[in-house]
Amino acid sequence: MDWNHVEQDLPRATPPRPLPHPLTFRLPAGSIDCHLHLFGDPVRYPLAADRTYDPAPVGLNEALEMHHALGASHGVLIQPSVYGYDNRLLCDSLQSCRERGLDYRGVAVVTPDISDAELERLSELGVCGVRLNLIFAGGLRWRDVVLLADRLARFKWHLECLIDVSTFRDMEARLGSLPVPVVIDHMGHLAATRGPECPGFAALCRLLKQGRTWVKLSAPYRLTTRGRLPYSDVTALVRALVAANPERVVWGSDWPHPYIGVEMPEEDTLAELMQRWLPEREMREKIFRDNPRKLYGYKAFVKSKADAAH
């Protein structure tokens, strides 16, 4: 793929590592990856002019290979900031999943004046949420969310927030007043050095306890001050979130880990962090499998005899 036509001098994201062979870790049967991104040919899917970085080109086939290897049965495709409001790659990928008999979901970025007909079309493709991204350039702002919220509720969508909870003012009042469920990306995206005592993080934990807010255990490399796995300074944040409400915690790979400032992790080692964070198998099954099935409306997982034996 030729990226030379991209004129802006922007940081270039590193591609993910090839899958190791053999894998050292597999997800529990029926697991769902609640957060991954796809990046296509920039000629067919133009990048937004106000983007923060140039992504590495990795698409649906690579994502499905990764999921098959790790043992994920479903995934949630998240519209990345580099495409702004242009959801064509997301929609094409969801349609391709349907044609392959795969039930994947999506989270889009939409304009506040989007038509009901377009919301209906996106719903039929598997889109079930809208993303508010206040970390990277491009996309919705808070005022847009306020305008959209009642319409999203009618379609039974949720709001997904990429925010730094340490700087998002009046978080409990603002998010708690919305008529839709709220999902917080990347454990609140605050520096791990702030710790669980950070007022914004404590507010996130209180929102979890109320039961209408969810959080993703994803992208610990975006929070850590350590350059390599196991990102031990993130452990306290993980355990505080799970303690706040284990029924409202899910997991996401954040594959292909776009635009990170640390060494690119291996997929199985990154997923295996959950064993370090959460040594109880039942809790890992809840977070990898059972909780996301409730959040995204999948049928409950029924264990086979082989699954029960493990």
Side-chain angles (χ1 to χ4, degrees), residues 45 126 137 140:
Y45 302 105
L140 291 169

Side-chain angles (χ1 to χ4, degrees), residues 107-299:
V107 173
V109 176
V110 303
T111 59
D113 60 350
I114 186 173
S115 67
D116 281 353
E118 180 63 4
L119 288 172
E120 184 68 40
R121 184 185 76 87
L122 293 172
S123 292
E124 290 175 355
L125 285 170
V127 174
C128 57
V130 162
R131 194 182 200 202
L132 170 70
N133 185 340
L134 300 184
I135 303 293
F136 294 100
L140 291 169
R141 303 292 93 180
W142 176 255
R143 62 182 178 274
D144 302 323
V145 169
V146 174
L147 292 173
L148 276 169
D150 287 336
R151 298 176 66 210
L152 299 183
R154 292 204 306 271
F155 281 85
K156 298 183 179 180
W157 285 17
H158 65 266
L159 174 69
E160 178 159 318
C161 298
L162 180 58
I163 57 175
D164 182 339
V165 297
S166 69
T167 60
F168 190 72
R169 295 181 296 105
D170 302 322
M171 181 170 60
E172 287 177 276
R174 293 162 82 183
L175 297 183
S177 66
L178 294 174
V180 294
V182 175
V183 181
I184 305 296
D185 285 348
H186 308 336
M187 297 179 262
H189 210 288
L190 80 164
T193 52
R194 301 296 302 272
E197 300 78 19
C198 170
F201 189 84
L204 171 58
C205 290
R206 289 193 294 272
L207 284 168
L208 289 175
K209 289 177 181 178
Q210 294 168 17
R212 292 186 64 252
T213 300
W214 303 70
V215 69
K216 293 181 182 179
L217 301 186
S218 55
Y221 40 70
R222 300 188 189 276
L223 285 62
T224 189
T225 58
R226 317 287 167 83
R228 296 182 178 182
L229 286 156
Y231 315 132
S232 56
D233 53 344
V234 179
T235 303
L237 300 178
V238 172
R239 291 180 175 164
L241 293 171
V242 174
N245 190 344
E247 303 295 328
R248 290 295 179 266
V249 180
V250 297
W251 171 82
S253 68
D254 193 37
W255 185 92
H257 324 296
Y259 193 41
I260 61 175
V262 299
E263 180 180 280
M264 184 61 63
E266 290 189 334
E267 304 309 321
D268 59 338
T269 308
L270 187 60
E272 193 177 13
L273 268 182
M274 292 289 282
Q275 288 196 138
R276 181 185 295 266
W277 292 337
L278 304 167
E280 304 85 1
R281 185 187 68 181
E282 292 77 10
M283 184 64 72
R284 293 196 301 271
E285 290 178 344
K286 179 187 294 290
I287 291 171
F288 277 121
R289 181 182 68 210
D290 301 332
N291 289 349
R293 287 175 179 270
K294 297 174 186 175
L295 173 59
Y296 297 105
Y298 288 105
K299 292 181 179 179

Side-chain angles (χ1 to χ4, degrees), residues 59-73:
L60 181 61
N61 289 337
E62 293 93 334
L64 295 178
E65 178 185 358
M66 181 269 293
H67 279 171
H68 178 73
L70 283 181
S73 63

